[in-house]
Amino acid sequence: MKRTALTTALAALLVLPLAGCGGASADDPGTVTVTIGYQSKTINTVTAGTLLRSLGYFERELAARGKREGVTYKVKWQDYATGAPITAQMTAGKTDIGSMGDFPLLINAARGTQLNRPTKLVSVTGYNLRGGLNTIVTGTGSKLSSLGDLRGKKVSTSVGSAADGTLVRALRRADIDPEDDIRKLNQQPAVGASALQAGGADALSQFVAWPGLLAFQGRARALYDGAELNLPTFHGVTAREDFAKKRPGVLEDFLRAQAKATDYLNEHPVAAAESVAEATGLPPEVVYLYNGAHGIATFDTTVKPALVAALKKDVPVLKSAKLVGDVDVEGFVDERYVKKAYGDGYAAARRAVPKAPRSELWLKGEQRTRSFATPAQMLRQAAAQQGKVRAAYVPDAGTGTPWFADKAVWVADGTKLLPFVTPSAADAYASGHPGARTISYNQALKKAS
């Protein structure tokens, strides 16, 4: 009897840690709960978080699996502001799958290895092959006009984030020491945005969707476009290795659901933006800037070689900040599950390159946008639809980064009307093209019409 009681007690101890994390519930041995950590306001993860949750695709996949297996599957969604708590929950064995940006992914890999709770990068959500997801902004009334002006200034960022990586790299390229030549403020995005408004920070380096939000609200203007680095930035999905091995079919179900959410976003970009806006409280126009048909981010679940190569280049930046040691990027990446979930065509999709962004016009009352081959064509339509324009988007003439047309810096070069995200990029173009000059958005509208 004693041996039986001991065996029963040990069995109970083994089951309890699995409750709520891909294991059987302690209350109901026939129920398996899968816990997903996501960031609702980091909107380039929506196909593995906010949008996926609202569409219910993962729940449907698990319902079908449960019917085949005679098991009840439940999904527990946990929303966080950053990737750090998701990593903490994963390494504690309490979260099975998480989504976050590239720098947090590396910290996720490092912590998993350090704590003997290894994780794997299993798919990608939104990415930009040039780095346009991160932007440095300053106040609308600021006299700062270029990176060089940041010397000796207070700059807010979130240390350990991709936005901090953009800041460090951009400053180094400008021969500014990111530790000694500026005063870096380690702050959460919302805190940094408030500091910028209150004058406690001279500039803010942040990730999606903060720069676009502040620009849209008229509270900031772009100082540096992360795409000038020409280094990919992305967000991805990570899973605990033990969970993936124990329940590979469930992970594949998640990745199939993510692929369906990706298809929905690409096929219904306006509806997807409206859905994410409702869930997050962000303006739909800002969500669309990043996630739209020609948005800053491209959504594709495949793990592209360029993104893996970018991760390897990110490791030294995090090491210099003493946030990680060596990271085995190749060992962290595991495409087996997404390949199986994706099916035929994975290799071709993995090789595919995003199309060049086009200018877009979103009119009030319409559930679709109109795209144009050139910014001038869009401007003519915008001028003709005075009072009816909800939002207008144009790609930077140099980097291709989409931006709000009325927040862009415009250059008139003969008959050409060229938009730029930052004043420094516009000035650089104008100085290299005799006769070119910067003009206001209203002047661009008049010239186009």
Side-chain angles (χ1 to χ4, degrees):
M1 291 295 292
K2 289 183 179 179
R3 181 179 296 240
T4 302
L6 179 60
T7 302
T8 303
L10 287 172
L13 287 172
L14 289 172
V15 170
L16 281 173
L18 296 174
C21 53
S25 167
D27 297 325
D28 182 0
T31 298
V32 173
T33 301
V34 182
T35 304
I36 311 296
Y38 74 109
Q39 304 169 70
S40 62
K41 284 187 168 58
T42 305
I43 58 173
N44 290 152
T45 65
V46 295
T47 55
T50 307
L51 183 63
L52 176 60
R53 181 180 184 179
S54 69
L55 293 170
Y57 289 162
F58 185 37
E59 286 82 355
R60 292 180 205 172
E61 292 281 344
L62 289 183
R65 174 171 296 278
K67 190 174 182 180
R68 294 192 302 269
E69 298 177 351
V71 175
T72 299
Y73 283 96
K74 293 184 178 179
V75 182
K76 183 177 181 181
W77 296 90
Q78 296 181 323
D79 188 8
Y80 298 96
T82 65
I86 298 177
T87 290
Q89 291 292 94
M90 292 183 75
T91 53
K94 296 180 180 180
T95 293
D96 304 307
I97 301 170
S99 55
M100 58 193 73
D102 41 13
F103 276 60
L105 280 168
L106 287 170
I107 295 174
N108 182 275
R111 296 290 184 270
T113 299
Q114 180 185 12
L115 299 172
N116 199 28
R117 287 275 193 173
T119 58
K120 298 292 182 181
L121 172 64
V122 295
S123 72
V124 169
T125 57
Y127 64 92
N128 183 286
L129 291 180
R130 288 188 61 106
L133 297 177
N134 307 308
T135 312
I136 302 174
V137 299
T138 189
T140 52
S142 172
K143 295 181 180 180
L144 304 180
S145 61
S146 68
L147 275 178
D149 296 333
L150 291 180
R151 196 182 300 273
K153 303 298 183 181
K154 292 176 289 185
V155 184
S156 174
T157 190
S158 301
V159 174
S161 72
D164 183 34
T166 293
L167 175 65
V168 169
R169 284 175 163 141
L171 290 175
R172 285 175 177 169
R173 286 193 182 185
D175 292 324
I176 299 173
D177 191 303
E179 300 302 325
D180 297 332
D181 292 342
I182 67 165
R183 182 183 171 190
K184 186 188 290 188
L185 308 176
N186 182 17
Q187 299 172 323
Q188 291 294 315
V191 176
S194 296
L196 185 68
Q197 285 297 109
D202 299 296
L204 171 75
S205 181
Q206 276 301 345
F207 48 80
V208 51
W210 286 95
L213 174 63
L214 294 174
F216 177 76
Q217 294 173 332
R219 297 165 59 194
R221 59 177 176 79
L223 182 72
Y224 183 82
D225 175 7
E228 292 184 39
L229 290 173
N230 200 21
L231 290 170
T233 54
F234 74 100
H235 297 73
V237 177
T238 178
R240 287 195 353 258
E241 185 180 59
D242 58 349
F243 168 79
K245 288 180 177 179
K246 182 178 181 180
R247 301 194 183 278
V250 172
L251 179 55
E252 289 160 19
D253 286 343
F254 180 87
L255 297 174
R256 268 190 294 273
Q258 186 200 346
K260 291 178 182 178
T262 302
D263 290 341
Y264 179 89
L265 183 147
N266 289 330
E267 293 165 8
H268 309 281
V270 171
E274 295 278 15
S275 174
V276 171
E278 183 178 357
T280 62
L282 290 167
E285 298 86 350
V286 173
V287 177
Y288 195 86
L289 170 69
Y290 290 97
N291 294 7
H294 298 278
I296 298 176
T298 298
F299 285 85
D300 173 8
T301 61
T302 65
V303 184
K304 298 184 181 300
L307 303 182
V308 177
L311 276 185
K312 294 177 181 178
K313 292 180 181 178
D314 292 341
V315 173
V317 179
L318 286 172
K319 286 182 70 174
S320 67
K322 297 180 174 57
L323 293 172
V324 301
D326 292 325
V327 179
D328 179 9
V329 173
E330 292 289 347
F332 177 50
V333 176
D334 191 343
E335 295 181 78
R336 288 177 295 169
Y337 306 100
V338 70
K339 282 181 180 178
K340 191 169 181 180
Y342 197 100
D344 295 340
Y346 180 83
R350 187 172 177 263
R351 291 192 301 268
V353 176
K355 296 179 181 178
R358 292 165 62 93
S359 298
E360 289 187 88
L361 187 63
W362 189 357
L363 297 180
K364 296 175 182 177
E366 293 193 355
Q367 290 303 306
R368 64 177 182 84
T369 62
R370 306 177 185 190
S371 67
F372 303 87
T374 68
Q377 291 175 0
M378 187 281 295
L379 287 171
R380 278 194 289 273
Q381 282 294 309
Q385 299 286 347
Q386 287 278 354
K388 298 180 182 179
V389 176
R390 181 171 181 177
Y393 308 92
V394 287
D396 183 283
T399 65
T401 301
W403 204 241
F404 295 111
D406 61 334
K407 308 300 181 186
V409 183
W410 289 86
V411 171
D413 184 7
T415 59
K416 293 188 293 186
L417 292 169
L418 305 173
F420 295 88
V421 172
T422 66
S424 59
D427 291 342
Y429 178 91
S431 64
H433 295 77
R437 60 189 179 89
T438 58
I439 59 174
S440 70
Y441 175 60
N442 286 332
Q443 288 173 321
L445 284 172
K446 289 178 181 178
K447 286 183 68 68
S449 61

